Amino acid sequence: MSEEKFDRRSQYWFGLKDKGGYIHRERLRNQGYAPDVFDGRPVIGIANTWSELNPCNGSLNDVAEAVKRGVWEAGGFPLEFPAMSLSESLQRPTTMLYRNMLAMEVEELIRSHPLDGVVLLGNCDKTPPGLLMGAASVDLPTLMITGGPMLNGRYQGQPVGSGTLVWKYSEQVRSGKISFEEFMAMESCSARSQGSCMTMGTASTMACVTEALGVQLPGAAAIPAVDSRKFTLAHLSGRRIVKMVEEDLKLSKVLNRKAFENAIKILAAIGGSTNAVVHLLAIAGRVGVPLNLDDFDKLGKDVPVIANMMPSGKFLMEEFFDAGGVPTVMKEIANLIHTDHITVTGKTVKENIEGAENWNKEVITPANKPFQAAGAGIVVVRGSLAPDGAIIKVSAASPKLLTHKGKALVFNEIEEYLKVADDPNLPVTPETILVLKNSGPKGYPGFPEVGNLPMPKKMLDQGVTDMVRISDARMSGTAYGTVVLHVSPESTAGGPLAFVENGDEIELDVPNRKLNLLISPEELAKRKAAWVPPKPKAERGWSKMYIEHVQQAHLGADLDFLVGSSGDYVPRHSH
Ligand code: FES
């Protein structure tokens, strides 16, 4: 058995002068590679989440080919491999049930193969965070490319933003404002090309946030999926990852506390998705960077929302790209972020954004004339209803409901609510607070995006378009409304949400960060003592393991045994 020592990780496979080395090289040579590809050059894995079941990631095979061009050109050896694809639009009950599975899969794939560096190709909501979590637990030099948004949707000359306008128009169909035929006509106009949702939903948010973390090349996030510049960027990323291996620029050198602080500030500046909160907490947990829910409030509160983007504003990702994208946002708030942070370019943020310009100040507003004032981003509320916190996206809420007291109308499951949402006799008024239980990480299971309960038809008929809604669920990044999410601990885990009853008064006070269930401590204790936890929804397989090990929302909803890193050790060889 060979005991040779190598400088490069892949040489522990390809550099061996024994039977094992023979087998590792020999079988790859059936692909026709020249023998010198095994000579110690950087071997670059390309983790590709392309799938026909995930239309948002449909362009990634072409991206992978462009990356390979760059890797070959820079003297590396690219090897593409498939990783689980998570399709927000098709997968049930929710892709969030599988984000940690993708993270676990990609971690093991990277570690168990002869790789020196990795390029991660993701796009739809959960693929970028899942890939990054897994890669962070290995910690090779790593670069991400998000596939990019679809071209803007248009219907009768008007923009149709994916997700966002589906919520609006589906409520208009229910209230009879538009016909079902019109609704169907919009469907064919809202997905004009390959790519992810072109609003500032979760996919676009995570693309911007990963660029702000410093793990994508500058400008990458906003390039539309079908734009030739996306493939140019992939080509350049291929060249760059080879250099990153040579410089030993590991992921942990980029993903430090400064990176997360920058990401949180950019999240606030773009009015990004609430889902970024759980993903950033989970990624930080993998690299051991201390980060908690309150950091989002503390770091985001002085940052103005400067991206006028749906769902909070009016523009779509094509305009955001044309205006300058993330480098322009970073430049506009340069005095609020760490510009000395080192990114995958090997350069600082300051150097990366030097040439950025703001080409459209209506889309990316100047920081001193912001689209929305500081404090309109994601806010953390706490109190007797959410001892470990809950979040609300202020920019997507109705200002008048941010301080509100109302009586609870409680539903144990989203399905229970949907059955009666159109009932004209539903006991609701505009002041009612809709409360949804059993929709957190353990509860559903999988922490689905059902927190923005559709408005009751009775309210829509009265012209009421928003109400306070509170749950332990998540909400689509494309959705809007006065929606309190991620209540922690969740009801299924015995959080106070479990004990709310119809008619209880609830106080939401966003300016003072409060969320209280206004019943006496004695009454709360009595209900708690009588509470019977719901039966777990799965008795076998992944779902059972997930329910038993998933952490609460305020910790990032990772599996408890996946938090942290095992590093890039070379597993023992079997040949
Ligand atoms: Fe995939 Fe929105 S459904 S990005």
Side-chain angles (χ1 to χ4, degrees):
M1 186 76 65
S2 170
E3 293 296 335
E4 289 168 88
K5 292 269 175 261
F6 298 102
D7 291 338
R8 190 146 281 151
R9 189 174 183 274
S10 59
Q11 284 295 293
Y12 286 93
W13 281 260
F14 300 139
L16 299 175
K17 295 189 177 62
D18 61 6
K19 176 167 63 77
Y22 174 100
I23 292 168
H24 298 137
R25 292 182 299 271
E26 179 247 12
R27 203 45 56 102
L28 265 173
R29 291 185 72 175
N30 82 357
Q31 306 293 303
Y33 292 117
D36 58 1
V37 298
F38 306 110
D39 62 4
R41 65 188 67 191
V43 179
I44 306 299
I46 302 169
N48 187 356
T49 54
W50 174 92
S51 163
E52 280 188 343
L53 286 170
N54 188 358
C56 305
N57 291 21
S59 62
L60 294 183
N61 283 345
D62 294 336
V63 174
E65 289 309 313
V67 173
K68 286 182 203 169
R69 286 204 301 263
V71 172
W72 283 121
E73 200 176 69
F77 175 23
L79 289 168
E80 181 187 343
F81 60 94
M84 183 177 186
S85 199
L86 304 175
S87 166
E88 212 60 36
S89 52
L90 299 181
Q91 208 159 1
R92 294 180 179 183
T94 165
T95 51
M96 190 61 180
L97 180 60
Y98 304 107
R99 181 202 65 179
N100 300 337
M101 186 190 258
L102 165 61
M104 191 156 78
E105 183 204 27
V106 83
E107 173 183 348
E108 300 302 329
L109 284 171
I110 294 171
R111 187 178 297 110
S112 60
H113 282 102
L115 303 176
D116 302 307
V118 199
V119 177
L120 308 171
L121 307 185
N123 211 27
C124 197
D125 299 15
K126 306 301 178 298
T127 49
L131 289 167
L132 202 50
M133 287 162 67
S137 289
V138 187
D139 197 22
L140 293 178
T142 303
L143 196 154
M144 170 161 275
I145 305 172
T146 47
M150 294 186 277
L151 298 176
N152 288 1
R154 284 197 202 93
Y155 174 66
Q156 295 182 343
Q158 297 302 314
V160 180
S162 28
T164 302
L165 292 185
V166 174
W167 307 121
K168 183 171 161 190
Y169 291 131
S170 61
E171 301 213 321
Q172 290 190 355
V173 175
R174 287 171 64 220
S175 61
K177 286 202 181 108
I178 59 169
S179 69
F180 184 71
E181 287 66 34
E182 276 178 283
F183 187 54
M184 288 296 101
M186 284 173 203
E187 179 180 299
S188 63
C189 304
S190 59
R192 288 177 52 228
S193 75
Q194 291 190 329
S196 58
C197 292
M198 80 308 258
T199 44
M200 192 53 85
T202 305
S204 299
T205 298
M206 287 313 297
C208 295
V209 159
T210 52
E211 187 177 326
L213 282 170
V215 300
Q216 296 213 61
L217 291 188
I223 309 173
V226 294
D227 193 303
S228 57
R229 287 164 285 187
K230 180 57 90 180
F231 304 104
T232 309
L233 179 122
H235 188 157
L236 295 171
S237 298
R239 287 185 193 165
R240 179 62 201 147
I241 187 67
V242 176
K243 298 287 171 248
M244 284 174 67
V245 172
E246 289 165 1
E247 294 162 12
D248 197 29
L249 183 54
K250 292 189 172 184
L251 191 50
S252 58
K253 293 183 186 164
V254 176
L255 287 181
N256 52 26
R257 172 80 191 182
K258 283 183 182 175
F260 286 95
E261 292 193 358
N262 280 358
I264 289 172
K265 289 182 179 190
I266 296 306
L267 173 64
I270 60 175
S273 163
T274 48
N275 286 317
V277 176
V278 275
H279 298 324
L280 282 169
L281 288 168
I283 297 164
R286 296 302 187 102
V287 281
V289 168
L291 195 74
N292 61 48
L293 200 54
D294 292 325
D295 285 323
F296 287 82
D297 205 325
K298 220 166 43 206
L299 295 164
K301 77 176 185 325
D302 297 327
V303 181
V305 180
I306 61 169
N308 183 357
M309 299 287 293
M310 275 191 213
S312 305
K314 75 172 185 196
F315 294 106
L316 297 172
M317 286 303 285
E318 259 186 271
E319 286 103 4
F320 183 68
F321 172 55
D322 290 342
V326 175
T328 299
V329 173
M330 292 185 104
K331 197 160 185 178
E332 288 288 356
I333 60 161
N335 60 330
L336 298 174
I337 60 174
H338 300 288
T339 52
D340 59 345
H341 171 237
I342 297 284
T343 70
V344 286
T345 58
K347 296 185 184 143
T348 61
V349 170
K350 183 166 186 252
E351 292 170 293
N352 289 346
I353 63 175
E354 222 151 43
E357 301 244 5
N358 192 341
W359 299 106
N360 189 333
K361 294 190 172 152
E362 226 195 315
V363 180
I364 301 176
T365 58
N368 57 3
K369 276 196 200 147
F371 162 58
Q372 285 180 326
I378 293 165
V379 157
V380 179
V381 289
R382 282 173 198 279
S384 57
L385 187 51
D388 289 332
I391 61 173
I392 177 166
K393 183 170 165 179
V394 175
S395 62
S398 303
K400 70 174 189 328
L401 289 173
L402 291 172
T403 308
H404 181 78
K405 258 189 211 166
K407 296 221 183 307
L409 182 63
V410 181
F411 298 91
N412 286 306
E413 298 205 320
I414 184 68
E415 290 78 9
E416 186 184 312
Y417 172 67
L418 294 176
K419 276 188 204 144
V420 297
D422 287 356
D423 184 343
N425 297 316
L426 194 70
V428 280
T429 68
E431 290 74 37
T432 302
I433 295 182
L434 300 177
V435 173
L436 177 66
K437 302 182 182 182
N438 300 312
S439 302
K442 288 178 190 292
Y444 200 68
F447 207 6
E449 292 184 336
V450 294
N452 58 317
L453 292 88
M455 288 289 293
K457 184 161 185 305
K458 183 173 165 185
M459 291 294 96
L460 292 174
D461 290 346
Q462 291 175 23
V464 179
T465 53
D466 194 13
M467 294 167 74
V468 175
R469 290 156 268 180
I470 299 175
S471 73
D472 46 13
R474 294 178 304 116
M475 156 173 108
S476 164
T478 60
Y480 54 88
T482 310
V483 184
V484 179
L485 303 156
H486 307 192
V487 168
S488 188
E490 64 176 299
S491 58
T492 311
L497 186 67
F499 317 127
V500 184
E501 293 181 0
N502 282 336
D504 285 349
E505 198 166 47
I506 292 174
E507 172 195 40
L508 172 67
D509 181 352
V510 174
N512 292 303
R513 307 299 194 252
K514 282 196 238 159
L515 181 64
N516 286 314
L517 176 60
L518 302 177
I519 61 171
S520 69
E522 295 75 30
E523 176 63 19
L524 186 65
K526 201 172 95 193
R527 292 184 194 176
K528 193 171 180 177
W531 181 68
V532 181
K535 203 164 154 272
K537 294 262 177 55
E539 300 204 332
R540 65 169 298 282
W542 169 258
S543 297
K544 177 176 163 57
M545 186 162 90
Y546 180 92
I547 291 168
E548 287 171 359
H549 291 281
V550 70
Q551 295 187 313
Q552 288 297 287
H554 71 283
L555 299 173
D558 199 356
L559 300 192
D560 51 13
F561 61 85
L562 290 175
V563 173
S565 162
S566 305
D568 66 349
Y569 70 86
V570 175
R572 290 193 297 163
H573 53 90
S574 56
H575 300 301

